[in-house]
Amino acid sequence: MKTVEAGLSAAALLLLAGATPAARADTAPEPGNWLMLGVSHGDAPAGAEDGTLLRCDPPGGGHPHAEEACAQLSAADGRITALPAQDALCPMIYAPVTAHAEGMWRDRPVTWTETFPNTCALRARTGALFALDGA
C-alpha cells in the first residue's frame, strides 16, 4: 500500500513540475508590438490594472482607436516621443494628467511616462495613442 501511495505522490509531483513551466509561459510578455497604456489624473502614473491593451499585429486589444494608434506608432518606429504633435487650441486650465506606456515594440522594451497640463495637451502631443475613452 505504501508503494502505491509513494508512486501516486511521485506522479503528482511530476505533473505539478510539468505544469509550472507552462504557467510561467502564459505570463511571459508576448512577442510583437503591444503596449499597456494608462492615463491618470495628477502626476502619478496609472496602475497596470487600470490600463488598456494596444496590440498592433493586427491592431486591436481593447483600444478604441487601435488602427490609428498603431499607424502613428509605426510611423514613429514605436518611439512615443517621436509622435508628431498636432496643432490644437487647448485651454489654459491646469488639470494635470499622467500618461504611461509599457510593453514591447519590435522586440525592444518600451517604458514611457509623461505628465501633461491637461487632457487636451496630452491628445495634441500623442494623437490617438492615449485617446482611450473612445472620443
Side-chain angles (χ1 to χ4, degrees), residues 5-19:
E5 288 175 4
L8 288 175
S9 295
L13 287 174
L14 287 173
L15 285 173
L16 288 174

Side-chain angles (χ1 to χ4, degrees), residues 72 83-91 120-127:
Q72 290 172 349
L83 291 172
Q86 302 170 359
D87 289 332
L89 294 174
C90 293
C120 179
L122 165 67
R123 296 245 176 110
R125 183 63 194 90
T126 62

Side-chain angles (χ1 to χ4, degrees), residues 36-82:
M36 280 300 296
L37 305 168
V39 176
S40 61
H41 295 283
D43 57 6
E49 65 277 357
D50 298 326
T52 298
L53 177 64
L54 171 66
R55 294 178 195 252
C56 290
D57 295 322
H63 192 290
H65 305 284
E67 287 187 34
E68 187 179 357
C70 290
Q72 290 172 349
L73 274 173
S74 290
D77 194 30
R79 295 175 294 129
I80 297 170
T81 56

